[in-house]
Amino acid sequence: ASTKLDDSGAWSFVQLSNGDSEATVYLRGANVTKGVEWIGLRADCKLDGSKANISGGLPICFPQFGPGEVIPQHGFARNMDWTFVEAESSDGKCVLELVDSEETKKVWPVEFRCTYTVELKDGELVTSMKVDNLSKSECTFTTGIHSYYDVSDIDNLDIVGKLKGCTYEDRTKDPPSPVEYDKDEIKIAEFRDEIYKKVWPSTVTLKDSEKGELDIISDGGWRDLVVWNPYGDDKMGYKSFVCVESVECDPISLAAGASWEATVNVVP
């Protein structure tokens, strides 16, 4: 196994390897763009620094998930360069860190440390996100991993999990009216932007009739499942990806000196 930093391009990235498995983690947004063959990038993704963030991979939304009043949509973390805090090593593990700065305090006046750990283990991608409140008072935030997964064709995909009975919100409707979801699978045949409340911690499986199956195991602080696909949008390449996201939509209150932590494991 090995962990190496490559800073030769517009955006630096960490290359992980363990046996036959490889992962790529960009410092911009601490975004995993490669890790198992299911990690997806949108057709309009740029890795040359010409866009503020990476359209695809496993983007971190922090300290805001969705639209905000002062904090930009999906937060500032995905638009910033994180720090590679562990030296190059032989363990196939990467630890990245984002701390408060003058820039972040303009929109979120909180002293914090956000740590993201990515590891390759036995063909699995293991990730952990931790938020430390370093302020002298309580802070609140929402957060999520806006995960993009590559599929053979969106029409070949079923999303399966313990969904029946959860509260479901269709965010394409204004306002979204919560209803009880009545089945354990999701089939996408139109534009989808929806929340399945308190589905995590659990396992959600992507079943692709050509590609096979992928288990997404979310634990810790993640509670809400968000599914997004811009069905019909060829510019984004809607047929080749789906977002199956691990999210905390309700504000998290974190006492001074306290920590919050959550994990996502991606298992082909």
Side-chain angles (χ1 to χ4, degrees):
S2 68
T3 303
K4 293 181 179 178
L5 177 67
D6 186 324
D7 56 6
S8 60
W11 284 340
S12 300
F13 60 86
V14 179
Q15 194 72 39
L16 308 180
S17 66
N18 190 347
D20 294 333
S21 301
E22 291 188 342
T24 303
V25 189
Y26 274 82
L27 271 55
R28 175 54 57 100
N31 194 333
V32 182
T33 59
K34 178 183 176 184
V36 293
E37 62 180 18
W38 289 77
I39 304 293
L41 297 174
R42 269 184 9 207
D44 58 345
C45 176
K46 303 285 187 187
L47 296 173
D48 57 6
S50 61
K51 293 177 75 172
N53 55 60
I54 297 170
S55 302
L58 306 182
I60 296 173
C61 303
F62 174 84
Q64 174 73 38
F65 182 83
E69 293 180 7
V70 179
I71 304 171
Q73 169 147 329
H74 288 328
F76 49 66
R78 65 185 184 140
N79 299 328
M80 301 185 75
D81 291 326
W82 292 47
T83 302
F84 179 40
V85 296
E86 282 203 355
E88 295 187 356
S89 67
S90 59
D91 60 3
K93 181 178 179 180
C94 167
V95 181
L96 299 178
E97 182 180 87
L98 184 70
V99 297
D100 58 274
S101 63
E102 294 292 320
E103 186 180 351
T104 66
K105 286 179 177 176
K106 288 176 185 175
V107 294
W108 198 52
V110 173
E111 294 177 27
F112 72 90
R113 178 175 56 241
C114 190
T115 308
Y116 191 57
T117 304
V118 181
E119 189 171 4
L120 283 171
K121 271 186 184 175
D122 304 321
E124 302 178 13
L125 186 72
V126 178
T127 75
S128 174
M129 177 176 164
K130 183 181 181 186
V131 179
D132 295 304
N133 180 8
L134 305 180
S135 302
K136 292 183 172 64
S137 58
E138 183 181 80
C139 72
T140 60
F141 61 92
T142 56
T143 183
I145 306 292
H146 199 308
S147 319
Y148 286 75
Y149 295 106
D150 181 79
V151 296
S152 64
D153 188 307
I154 195 67
D155 297 327
N156 293 338
L157 182 70
D158 286 299
I159 302 167
V160 179
K162 294 177 182 175
L163 308 175
K164 190 174 182 179
C166 77
T167 299
Y168 161 83
E169 294 180 13
D170 183 348
R171 300 201 301 175
T172 65
K173 294 184 166 57
D174 189 18
S177 51
V179 297
E180 185 175 304
Y181 198 66
D182 62 359
K183 47 187 178 290
D184 278 333
E185 69 174 39
I186 304 164
K187 187 79 178 170
I188 295 174
E190 59 186 345
F191 186 98
R192 302 293 279 268
D193 184 6
E194 48 208 21
I195 303 172
Y196 300 81
K197 300 284 284 185
K198 297 182 179 175
V199 167
W200 310 117
S202 67
T203 299
V204 170
T205 303
L206 306 187
K207 294 188 174 184
D208 184 319
S209 59
E210 289 190 15
K211 196 165 182 176
E213 295 189 3
L214 178 76
D215 285 339
I216 304 162
I217 306 167
S218 288
D219 204 346
W222 303 126
R223 292 193 297 176
D224 304 324
L225 166 69
V226 171
V227 174
W228 181 75
N229 176 268
Y231 200 89
D233 190 326
D234 289 316
K235 185 180 175 185
M236 287 191 190
Y238 79 95
K239 287 183 81 68
S240 64
F241 77 88
V242 65
C243 289
V244 178
E245 308 167 31
S246 304
V247 177
E248 183 51 270
C249 294
D250 297 322
I252 299 161
S253 294
L254 204 56
S259 301
W260 174 92
E261 193 166 1
T263 61
V264 179
N265 295 352
V266 182
V267 186

